[in-house]
């Protein structure tokens, strides 16, 4: 992965993490990179193409526990274009859906900037089921806090 894309993804994860926390959710880093860094040293013997390999490498980015104590798994993505996902990403999202049923939170440079897709991620026409994050009552995103994070996104991502 290119360093610039890696940076954009990490920034998106941090922005989503802080947005969810500021709205009263507990957020714990969970994903393959965060929890299982030592596996990267074992990749020679770690079969990424086995079912267990796909399950491990598709671990979502966060565990989120909302104010009511309900847990959710969350995968974060950043895109300037809402529909462009390459074949490797789509395959990984298929594994995320199959193994984890995680919510996908998309950060984009198009309004609304923060969107959510719940499993199933695609509708009958194979189009993404995105809703504004504000409409997902599980996270209880307030207008004031969302406005604050919209401004951050405009400041740091609009130039991308």
């Amino acid at each position: 992965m290119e360093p610039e894309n890696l940076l954009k993804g990490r920034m998106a994860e941090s922005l989503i993490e802080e947005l969810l926390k500021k709205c009263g959710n507990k957020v714990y880093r969970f994903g393959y990179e965060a929890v299982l860094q030592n596996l990267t040293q074992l990749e020679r013997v770690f079969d990424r193409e086995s079912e267990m390999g796909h399950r491990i490498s598709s671990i979502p980015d966060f565990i989120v526990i909302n104010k009511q104590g309900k847990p959710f798994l969350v995968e974060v993505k950043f895109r300037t274009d809402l529909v462009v996902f390459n074949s490797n990403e789509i395959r990984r999202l298929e594994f995320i859906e199959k193994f984890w049923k995680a919510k996908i939170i998309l950060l984009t440079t198009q309004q609304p900037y923060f969107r959510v897709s719940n499993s199933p991620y695609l509708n009958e026409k194979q189009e993404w089921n995105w809703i504004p994050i504000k409409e997902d009552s599980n996270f209880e995103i307030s207008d004031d806090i969302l406005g604050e994070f919209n401004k951050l996104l405009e400041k740091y991502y609009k130039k991308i």
Side-chain angles (χ1 to χ4, degrees):
M1 182 176 260
E2 291 183 34
E4 183 176 353
N5 290 336
L6 194 60
L7 178 61
K8 290 175 195 175
R10 296 278 190 255
M11 287 172 50
E13 287 176 14
S14 294
L15 203 55
I16 295 296
E17 180 179 13
E18 295 308 315
L19 170 66
L20 295 174
K21 283 180 178 178
K22 195 154 188 180
C23 289
N25 300 282
K26 294 179 182 172
V27 182
Y28 303 95
R29 289 203 172 259
F30 184 54
Y32 174 73
E33 296 89 0
V35 176
L36 301 170
Q37 290 177 349
N38 292 337
L39 278 180
T40 58
Q41 298 169 6
L42 303 174
E43 285 199 27
R44 288 186 302 265
V45 295
F46 177 60
D47 182 6
R48 293 176 72 90
E49 295 304 316
S50 68
E51 181 173 335
M52 184 57 72
H54 288 300
R55 186 180 301 263
I56 290 169
S57 62
S58 67
I59 294 172
D61 296 316
F62 299 113
I63 297 173
V64 177
I65 301 173
N66 71 7
K67 293 178 194 177
Q68 289 72 40
K70 186 173 181 182
F72 300 94
L73 296 171
V74 171
E75 175 71 11
V76 175
K77 294 291 177 192
F78 169 76
R79 291 293 174 279
T80 54
D81 187 321
L82 295 177
V83 295
V84 176
F85 285 84
N86 68 40
S87 58
N88 287 339
E89 293 169 314
I90 290 172
R91 188 166 181 234
R92 183 167 183 269
L93 292 173
E94 287 171 350
F95 288 120
I96 289 171
E97 185 169 15
K98 176 182 176 183
F99 297 129
W100 305 100
K101 303 286 190 245
K103 291 176 176 285
I104 307 292
I105 298 181
L106 178 72
L107 190 66
T108 181
T109 56
Q110 302 172 31
Q111 283 276 7
Y113 300 133
F114 299 89
R115 301 172 190 223
V116 177
S117 184
N118 294 290
S119 179
Y121 307 131
L122 303 174
N123 64 23
E124 308 81 41
K125 297 178 184 178
Q126 296 302 295
E127 299 167 331
W128 283 93
N129 286 322
W130 296 119
I131 61 168
I133 197 168
K134 178 83 174 98
E135 293 178 16
D136 190 322
S137 61
N138 294 300
F139 297 127
E140 298 184 37
I141 305 296
S142 75
D143 288 330
D144 292 344
I145 294 172
L146 185 58
E148 178 184 331
F149 279 79
N150 282 341
K151 287 177 186 171
L152 285 171
L153 186 131
E154 289 169 354
K155 180 176 180 180
Y156 293 104
Y157 278 92
K158 276 296 191 174
K159 298 170 188 160
I160 293 175

